[in-house]
Amino acid sequence: MSATQISAAGKVLKVLSAFGREHSSQTLSEIAQRTGLALSTTHRVVTELAGWGVLERGEDGAWHVGLRLWEIASGCPRTQILRDVALPFMQDLYEVTHENIQLAVREGTELVFVERIAGHRSVELLTSVGTRFPVASTGMGRVLLAHAPREIQEEVLDSPLRSWTPHTVVDPKALRTQLDRIRREQVFVSDRQLSASTVAVAAPVRIGRRGPVSAALGIVFTAQGASRARALREPLLRAAHGISDELARRTHTTA
Amino acid sequence: MSATQISAAGKVLKVLSAFGREHSSQTLSEIAQRTGLALSTTHRVVTELAGWGVLERGEDGAWHVGLRLWEIASGCPRTQILRDVALPFMQDLYEVTHENIQLAVREGTELVFVERIAGHRSVELLTSVGTRFPVASTGMGRVLLAHAPREIQEEVLDSPLRSWTPHTVVDPKALRTQLDRIRREQVFVSDRQLSASTVAVAAPVRIGRRGPVSAALGIVFTAQGASRARALREPLLRAAHGISDELARRTHTTA
């Protein structure tokens, strides 16, 4: 479909989709390039979006997502309900560990980080809230993959797995065994799979203790402290169960 | 302008604007009602938005903001840079207090809460991330108002001030005196102004120590513990300064 055949609504959505955590600030010509729309069309759509406060222009002249769109999006139930319920439990974990505490959900064969708690002493991460990664690339993602529908698992196992570090498990057979173990053991220790400098422990968050897996909770810390993984198992599981119980309570209440 | 004269892009934006933290889940007819669009038009726009993952349909048949829009919006610099910089300092404050730690920005004569940390023991609040309040209604808002351009201050002082509790300062003259004091004393104690059960201490966050005020940082706790306000002054100011210094460093680096 050529750009001229796209509906006006489609053009708005194309321009919006050009933004995101990784492309948060763009000039008009960058937006045109990323959307494939003509510069004049891009200008018209951006101006209309700016009129609604959906896009804002920075002092450098580049465009970015406006506060108005952020407010609209803050009502996203998949992130917001999870976040509201999970945050106090994530705080508990943070106080015990002072490490990065993360929450992620699966979307197809990718995972999206929806919440992160970090302090001054927490190790710097490649991931951040609002970014997507292939589901197999992180410990939290593998927990989500282990509990994903079979067709999603097969899709991931049938595609080449990216080797992020020399330690990344890329053999589909080894990954399959790992997924089995994750289902059996609940907590998964992901040793330098995405970054050579970090280790993660991850556990599933369900709706109730036996309900569907709706998210993964993880603690990410420096690989030098890898021996801590065992000690973190219990507090992580306690937090994941706390969130799961509360999600069941809320789902029950609102149903 | 009648609904039939609205551009296609305008219809998309009208539908999006019907959502937000306070109207996060809506049926098709509720969206039509809130936007003033015909039901058939609403159906067409919602279907197009769903195709892009911008809206999603829940099990109850109602529509809500999709994960895709949340991801796009997570790139909003006004919330994201602030959040990334502020979070470790907010964590420090949380560990010292175990109370609600909030961050808000001003948008015209309103304030928008952009971040909140809360634990199991923190008092329940009327406010939440992504919600707007009149700037004069909360302690954090008054700090933002005290440092707002004169025309914003006059606009607020010229309008009737809502009395949320018997303690709310609604006399414009008294509020003007309060704003003077806020500018002089930096930290402001807001005693049961929005809710009869809560007290807040709030301080401005600047870009650098003497730069423009870009946000307000606040601690909100139960009014029964009002005597704590004095003791919280120092840690709050230390956190606000820490964020301000870091914002100046980042702004300088990226400029």
Side-chain angles (χ1 to χ4, degrees):
Chain A
M1 187 159 83
S2 83
T4 50
Q5 288 171 303
I6 300 170
S7 71
K11 284 172 195 161
V12 166
L13 294 167
K14 251 186 181 297
V15 168
L16 280 183
S17 298
F19 288 86
R21 185 71 199 239
E22 272 138 296
H23 304 276
S24 60
S25 184
Q26 297 180 79
T27 64
L28 210 57
S29 49
E30 284 167 341
I31 302 169
Q33 206 163 10
R34 280 178 57 81
T35 56
L37 296 172
L39 197 59
S40 58
T41 309
T42 307
H43 177 74
R44 190 166 41 75
V45 174
V46 165
T47 305
E48 184 147 19
L49 286 167
W52 287 75
V54 164
L55 291 184
E56 290 174 355
R57 197 169 197 179
E59 281 173 22
D60 58 357
W63 292 92
H64 55 251
V65 167
L67 192 63
R68 184 71 198 110
L69 188 67
W70 179 84
E71 286 179 71
I72 293 168
S74 73
C76 174
R78 280 178 69 187
T79 56
Q80 215 49 55
I81 297 172
L82 249 180
R83 184 185 186 280
D84 285 353
V85 169
L87 211 49
F89 295 97
M90 293 175 73
Q91 289 294 344
D92 292 347
L93 271 185
Y94 173 80
E95 270 194 86
V96 173
T97 63
H98 291 107
E99 305 292 357
N100 295 280
I101 314 296
Q102 297 195 114
L103 191 70
V105 299
R106 184 179 59 79
E107 176 96 325
T109 60
E110 297 179 304
L111 90 161
V112 180
F113 291 92
V114 297
E115 191 53 86
R116 143 100 53 93
I117 285 179
H120 298 289
R121 287 174 278 174
S122 315
V123 63
E124 286 258 355
L125 301 185
L126 292 176
T127 58
S128 64
V129 169
T131 55
R132 270 176 192 248
F133 275 81
V135 77
S137 62
T138 79
M140 294 168 72
R142 292 211 191 147
V143 165
L144 291 168
L145 185 59
H147 298 281
R150 185 152 298 273
E151 60 272 22
I152 296 284
Q153 294 185 12
E154 295 309 323
E155 192 182 332
V156 171
L157 289 160
D158 286 349
S159 316
L161 294 162
R162 176 164 167 192
S163 172
W164 298 82
T165 78
H167 310 279
T168 309
V169 172
V170 289
D171 173 35
K173 226 171 122 185
L175 180 55
R176 206 180 280 274
T177 308
Q178 206 173 53
L179 297 180
D180 281 341
R181 210 178 60 226
I182 290 173
R183 278 185 293 267
R184 226 167 36 236
E185 298 181 359
Q186 293 193 72
V187 173
F188 173 56
V189 179
S190 177
D191 186 0
R192 295 164 293 174
Q193 295 289 296
L194 175 65
S195 154
S197 61
T198 58
V199 168
V201 289
V205 168
R206 297 171 182 273
I207 301 173
R209 289 294 170 95
R210 291 166 181 281
V213 169
S214 61
L217 181 68
I219 309 174
V220 189
F221 47 98
T222 170
Q224 291 157 341
S227 56
R228 297 182 66 190
R230 183 172 284 273
L232 294 175
R233 200 192 137 85
E234 273 314 304
L236 176 67
L237 215 49
R238 197 159 52 237
H241 286 165
I243 300 170
S244 301
D245 292 347
E246 182 64 20
L247 281 177
R249 204 183 62 78
R250 293 230 188 171
T251 310
H252 191 72
T253 312
T254 59
Chain B
M1 187 160 85
S2 83
T4 50
Q5 288 170 303
I6 300 171
S7 72
K11 286 173 192 158
V12 165
L13 294 168
K14 252 186 179 300
V15 168
L16 280 184
S17 298
F19 289 86
R21 186 68 200 242
E22 272 137 295
H23 304 276
S24 61
S25 184
Q26 297 180 77
T27 64
L28 209 56
S29 49
E30 283 167 341
I31 302 170
Q33 205 163 14
R34 280 177 57 81
T35 56
L37 297 172
L39 198 60
S40 58
T41 310
T42 307
H43 178 73
R44 189 165 42 74
V45 174
V46 165
T47 306
E48 184 146 21
L49 286 167
W52 287 74
V54 164
L55 291 183
E56 290 173 356
R57 197 171 197 176
E59 282 173 20
D60 57 357
W63 292 92
H64 55 250
V65 166
L67 192 62
R68 184 74 198 106
L69 188 67
W70 180 84
E71 286 178 71
I72 293 167
S74 73
C76 174
R78 278 177 71 187
T79 56
Q80 214 50 55
I81 297 173
L82 249 180
R83 185 185 187 281
D84 286 353
V85 168
L87 210 49
F89 295 97
M90 293 175 73
Q91 289 294 344
D92 293 347
L93 271 186
Y94 173 80
E95 270 193 85
V96 173
T97 63
H98 291 106
E99 305 292 359
N100 294 280
I101 314 296
Q102 298 195 113
L103 191 69
V105 298
R106 184 181 58 79
E107 177 96 324
T109 59
E110 297 179 305
L111 90 161
V112 180
F113 291 92
V114 298
E115 190 52 88
R116 143 101 52 95
I117 287 178
H120 298 290
R121 286 173 280 171
S122 315
V123 63
E124 288 257 354
L125 301 186
L126 291 177
T127 59
S128 65
V129 170
T131 55
R132 270 177 193 247
F133 275 81
V135 78
S137 62
T138 80
M140 296 169 71
R142 292 210 192 148
V143 166
L144 291 168
L145 184 60
H147 297 281
R150 183 152 299 272
E151 60 272 21
I152 296 285
Q153 294 184 11
E154 295 308 323
E155 192 181 333
V156 171
L157 289 161
D158 285 350
S159 317
L161 294 162
R162 177 166 166 189
S163 171
W164 299 82
T165 77
H167 310 278
T168 309
V169 171
V170 288
D171 173 34
K173 226 170 122 186
L175 180 54
R176 207 180 280 273
T177 307
Q178 205 172 52
L179 297 180
D180 280 340
R181 208 176 63 225
I182 291 173
R183 278 186 295 267
R184 227 168 33 235
E185 297 180 0
Q186 294 193 71
V187 172
F188 173 57
V189 179
S190 177
D191 186 2
R192 295 164 292 172
Q193 295 289 296
L194 175 64
S195 154
S197 61
T198 58
V199 168
V201 289
V205 169
R206 297 171 182 272
I207 301 173
R209 290 293 170 96
R210 292 167 181 280
V213 170
S214 61
L217 181 68
I219 310 174
V220 189
F221 47 99
T222 169
Q224 290 157 342
S227 56
R228 297 181 66 192
R230 183 173 284 272
L232 295 174
R233 197 191 140 86
E234 272 315 305
L236 175 68
L237 214 51
R238 198 159 50 237
H241 287 166
I243 300 170
S244 301
D245 292 348
E246 182 63 20
L247 281 176
R249 205 184 62 78
R250 294 231 187 169
T251 310
H252 190 72
T253 311
T254 58

